[in-house]
Amino acid sequence: MPTAIIADDERLMRDQLRMRLEQVWPELEIVGEAKNGDEAVELVGQHKPDLTFLDIRMPGKTGMEAAREIGERSQIVFVTAYDQYAVEAFERGAVDYVLKPSEPERLKVTVERLKTRLEATRAAPGAVVNDSVTAMLSQLAEKIAAPKPKHLQWIQASIGQDLRMIPVEEILFFRSDEKYTCVQTEKFEALIRKPVRDLAEELDPSLFWQIHRATLVNVNAIEGVTRDIRGRHLVLIKGRPEKLEVSRSFLHLFKQM
């Protein structure tokens, strides 16, 4: 059975990649996970995996630095959100370069390349296998050149031990406390660590209104606005019992309602 390690400083990203690799390559055995480049190098020396899936930006030793030390001991695939490293990734000998989020269809292409590379190296140990880097770079260039969404299109959130990918249009509101941000949909509640102030900069302001320093609400989920006996303005959410308080500094959003 082929073996691999996964290196990413975000546990949710490691969980997501492991889950999707299980879907597209059930025979692959994940023998270790690393939170940074130093741990990745150590795990490669310990387990001698056929493959190493490396995030590029990690604390301490980066993925690029780890790949330099790993060398030819393991086939490298970079999995990262930063497409500007593409050329350098291939110069480091990467078999492939997958942009986050690692979609199943894209991973299937990577898996086929990895299988071909593994078969060739086992048939002729030490041989250099030509994976048509030019073709891979061309495909990546097309992806990079394609228009990118200006705003977040989905949210990664945890529900217990599961990672859920939630389209933003399905989210009714976000509400933060001191440690977590609650993501509320019609069907379930999930938690993320990103604060509302960061979400407000990344979400489409025409879809999500910030009504409080700790609250963002989907405009399409608003049923109306009411006032309580203390004079506070409260947003009513369609089909939900919650009433979300509106800070005085955000009241101007509702003048048109």
Side-chain angles (χ1 to χ4, degrees):
M1 290 178 62
T3 58
I5 67 167
I6 295 172
D8 196 305
D9 60 317
E10 296 186 45
R11 182 185 64 81
L12 289 179
M13 290 293 96
R14 298 197 303 272
D15 291 345
Q16 181 203 58
L17 180 57
R18 184 179 63 253
M19 176 186 66
R20 293 192 169 173
L21 282 170
E22 288 174 355
Q23 294 172 353
V24 300
W25 198 359
E27 300 84 10
L28 181 67
E29 180 184 2
I30 306 300
V31 295
E33 295 185 12
K35 299 187 295 295
N36 53 58
D38 293 297
E39 290 184 7
V41 173
E42 183 179 341
L43 285 175
V44 168
Q46 179 181 346
H47 295 286
K48 298 178 174 56
D50 297 302
L51 312 165
T52 299
F53 292 86
L54 278 177
D55 185 20
I56 287 183
R57 286 192 176 182
M58 294 186 287
K61 194 183 290 321
T62 67
M64 289 294 186
E65 292 168 337
R68 186 184 303 119
E69 291 194 30
I70 292 169
E72 298 181 359
R73 291 183 291 164
S74 181
Q75 306 287 348
I76 302 293
V77 175
F78 287 112
V79 184
T80 180
Y82 302 96
D83 52 34
Q84 67 266 36
Y85 297 109
V87 174
E88 185 179 355
F90 289 120
E91 289 176 347
R92 296 279 180 229
V95 178
D96 207 348
Y97 184 104
V98 180
L99 293 178
K100 294 180 182 178
S102 49
E103 301 295 344
E105 290 303 315
R106 180 61 181 84
L107 274 181
K108 287 180 182 178
V109 176
T110 295
V111 166
E112 291 307 310
R113 287 177 180 158
L114 289 170
K115 288 180 177 179
T116 300
R117 172 69 73 97
L118 289 176
E119 289 174 3
T121 53
R122 286 168 179 168
V128 177
V129 180
N130 184 358
D131 269 332
S132 185
V133 170
T134 302
M136 285 192 283
L137 282 173
S138 177
Q139 292 175 15
L140 182 63
E142 291 176 5
K143 187 176 181 67
I144 295 171
K148 297 181 180 178
K150 185 177 180 181
H151 305 290
L152 283 180
Q153 302 297 303
W154 47 268
I155 295 290
Q156 300 174 23
S158 57
I159 303 176
Q161 297 299 312
D162 298 328
L163 178 70
R164 193 72 70 89
M165 309 296 287
I166 311 171
V168 294
E169 61 269 16
E170 294 182 7
I171 298 171
L172 303 178
F173 60 84
F174 297 89
R175 188 160 54 181
S176 292
D177 58 20
E178 293 181 359
K179 192 173 182 181
Y180 294 100
T181 296
C182 167
V183 182
Q184 184 67 59
T185 73
E186 290 184 3
K187 298 179 180 179
F188 58 84
E189 175 185 288
L191 296 175
I192 59 176
R193 289 185 178 273
K194 182 172 290 190
V196 159
R197 66 175 179 274
D198 292 345
L199 288 167
E201 295 177 356
E202 298 175 9
L203 291 164
D204 184 349
S206 67
L207 179 61
F208 284 91
W209 287 358
Q210 183 168 8
I211 61 171
H212 188 277
R213 63 180 176 81
T215 310
L216 284 165
V217 63
N218 187 328
V219 175
N220 297 321
I222 297 176
E223 182 175 315
V225 182
T226 187
R227 296 178 68 174
D228 65 8
I229 58 174
R230 294 167 54 190
R232 297 180 304 170
H233 288 75
L234 305 173
V235 168
L236 307 177
I237 303 297
K238 296 175 183 177
R240 300 289 306 179
E242 291 91 350
K243 295 180 180 180
L244 308 176
E245 182 178 356
V246 183
S247 295
R248 186 172 301 176
S249 56
F250 296 107
L251 282 176
H252 66 277
L253 294 170
F254 301 94
K255 288 182 179 180
Q256 57 190 354
M257 299 183 69

